[in-house]
Amino acid sequence: MIDVPTLTDGVVTLRAHVAADLQRAWEQCQDAESIRWTTVPVPYSHADAADFLAAMPRLWESDREWIFAVEYDGAYGGTVSLRNEGSHRAEIAYGSHPAVRGVRVDGVTVMERALRLLLVWGFAARGLETVIWWAHQGNWASRRLAWKVGFAFVPGVVPAWLPQRGQLRDAWLGTLRRGASLAPGAAWPADVVAR
């Protein structure tokens, strides 16, 4: 049995998923934005949420994915993970419960705090050299969050790359290297509404 580390900045905590997360994990997957941009099954049942939570220890034990629950204000606020791609590489993934989206503490969102904790841990504890970020083209909220923590974006799109419910969607791609400052490396596009 793997002992999942607990990481905190005093506001946000990353921890192992627990059974008490089930209701809010289910709620997150009923949310229109989660359905629009992720691969959650539609419809998504409480049994699906229970299966999701039950899979967490196996992901850690297999070393395939280092996955954490995001806790804020004593409640489940989403999930963040690094998917092990081998050779000191990982793919970042994240999703938030609608109750924490946009919530700021001292000017920093809950999910930005969560990603910073995750990335610092991944580079230090897992020896990562490069983290990759993928999102469906048009997912500006995900892109802005990746930008805030220092990801550099590859120009253009990767056509028909990300699977979602039987379709292949165009994708955006970004990378973050070990030693990066975890801060934006370029200005946010002026013609894109900030989120």
Side-chain angles (χ1 to χ4, degrees), residues 9 14 92 108 110-122 145 147-150 181-184:
D9 66 359
L14 303 188
I92 197 166
V108 182
V110 167
M111 290 304 286
E112 183 180 345
R113 287 172 176 275
L115 290 193
R116 287 181 191 286
L117 286 167
L118 177 70
L119 289 164
V120 167
W121 175 84
L145 184 51
W147 169 81
K148 285 181 178 181
V149 297
S181 67
L182 301 186

Side-chain angles (χ1 to χ4, degrees), residues 44-152:
Y44 190 86
S45 68
H46 279 90
D48 291 321
D51 289 346
F52 169 76
L53 295 177
M56 300 301 104
R58 291 191 301 274
L59 292 171
W60 277 93
E61 288 165 7
S62 69
D63 214 30
R64 284 190 356 236
E65 187 168 1
W66 309 303
I67 188 162
F68 294 88
V70 177
E71 183 175 304
Y72 169 69
D73 202 22
Y76 169 88
T79 295
V80 295
S81 73
L82 291 166
R83 296 174 180 151
N84 187 358
E85 298 290 334
S87 300
H88 305 283
R89 300 169 301 133
E91 176 188 351
I92 197 166
Y94 45 89
S96 61
H97 187 282
V100 304
R101 269 187 221 137
V103 172
R104 296 176 186 276
V105 178
D106 297 328
V108 182
T109 67
V110 167
M111 290 304 286
E112 183 180 345
R113 287 172 176 275
L115 290 193
R116 287 181 191 286
L117 286 167
L118 177 70
L119 289 164
V120 167
W121 175 84
F123 287 123
R126 293 297 172 169
L128 296 176
E129 291 294 332
T130 305
V131 178
I132 195 167
W133 164 88
W134 290 99
H136 295 137
Q137 181 184 17
N139 188 347
W140 287 104
S142 180
R143 186 173 179 128
R144 179 143 173 106
L145 184 51
W147 169 81
K148 285 181 178 181
V149 297
F151 278 84

